[in-house]
């Protein structure tokens, strides 16, 4: 049990470094969406999943097992990981462009707004439905702005991490509407 948790955390750290080195740097072999890109991300996602399915003591952030359904916790993980990826992708574009244009700055700040809304959903179950509606409307506008209309992640084959994390966060905002919070 303890060895499995240590292995899981090691794999997460290992694949986080791998994802950064293999998919975020413009000269990286998997900067654009290809088989290696998806395999690298799959390894990180499966490493996170491996830790998530461990016992309660390894997941203090998500309360005790009896309080939230596994589906709800999985959606929370998507919000956390997807947000981190979006912040990193937007920040990388700001560095590459020697500054942030408005759309890229919004892409960097959107996960923080999302995390605040998700925190309100978790903290105030009686008002959760209102915050869930705000969250899905926010991400409908954000994903449209980031990937369809004004960029900065318009082309999936060029800016894969930002493009895919934007869509993952939109899908998570829809999923949180329908997954049960409690077991």
């Amino acid at each position: 049990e303890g060895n499995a948790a240590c292995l899981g955390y090691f794999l997460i750290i290992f694949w986080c470094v791998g994802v950064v080195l293999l998919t975020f740097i413009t000269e990286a072999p998997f900067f654009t969406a290809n088989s290696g890109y998806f395999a690298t991300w799959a390894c990180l996602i499966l490493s996170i999943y491996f830790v998530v399915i461990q016992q309660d003591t390894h997941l203090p952030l998500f309360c005790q097992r009896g309080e939230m359904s596994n589906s709800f916790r999985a959606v929370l993980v998507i919000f956390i990981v997807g947000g981190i990826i979006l912040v990193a992708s937007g920040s990388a574009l700001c560095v590459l462009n020697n500054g942030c244009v408005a759309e890229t700055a919004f892409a960097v700040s959107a996960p923080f707004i999302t995390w605040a809304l998700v925190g309100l959903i978790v903290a105030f179950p009686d008002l959760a439905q209102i915050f869930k509606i705000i969250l899905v409307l926010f991400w409908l506008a954000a994903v449209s702005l980031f990937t369809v209309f004004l960029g900065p992640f318009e082309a999936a084959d060029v800016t894969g991490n930002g493009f895919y994390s934007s869509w993952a966060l939109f899908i998570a905002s829809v999923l949180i509407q329908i997954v049960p919070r409690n077991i």
Side-chain angles (χ1 to χ4, degrees):
E1 178 181 315
N3 291 338
C6 289
L7 174 64
Y9 291 124
F10 168 77
L11 288 172
I12 288 174
I13 293 168
F14 179 83
W15 283 109
C16 280
V17 171
V19 160
V20 169
L21 294 177
L22 296 173
T23 70
F24 276 95
I25 301 168
T26 41
E27 294 83 22
F30 308 131
F31 181 71
T32 59
N34 58 30
S35 297
Y37 174 91
F38 290 109
T40 304
W41 276 106
C43 289
L44 176 61
I45 291 165
L46 290 172
S47 299
I48 292 168
Y49 178 73
F50 181 75
V51 170
V52 168
I53 63 173
Q54 299 299 313
Q55 288 189 333
D56 298 337
T57 56
H58 305 299
L59 296 169
L61 179 65
F62 300 120
C63 306
Q64 296 300 314
R65 186 172 296 274
E67 295 179 20
M68 290 186 191
S69 70
N70 286 339
S71 300
F72 191 82
R73 289 198 286 167
V75 172
L76 294 181
V77 169
I78 294 170
F79 281 121
I80 293 168
V81 174
I84 291 169
I85 295 164
L86 189 58
V87 168
S89 298
S91 298
L93 283 177
C94 291
V95 169
L96 286 173
N97 297 330
N98 293 321
C100 284
V101 293
E103 297 82 17
T104 308
F106 181 42
V108 171
S109 63
F112 295 98
I113 297 166
T114 301
W115 295 330
L117 286 169
V118 170
L120 292 170
I121 290 167
V122 171
F124 301 103
D126 295 339
L127 300 172
Q129 197 55 41
I130 295 167
F131 296 125
K132 287 178 181 180
I133 291 169
I134 293 169
L135 185 64
V136 78
L137 292 174
F138 174 79
W139 272 103
L140 179 63
V143 78
S144 298
L145 177 71
F146 299 158
T147 66
V148 179
F149 297 115
L150 299 174
F153 309 117
E154 289 180 89
D157 62 335
V158 177
T159 54
N161 292 326
F163 181 89
Y164 293 117
S165 61
S166 296
W167 279 102
L169 289 164
F170 170 68
I171 291 167
S173 75
V174 172
L175 287 175
I176 204 166
Q177 307 290 325
I178 56 177
V179 298
R181 175 191 167 99
N182 298 326
I183 295 178

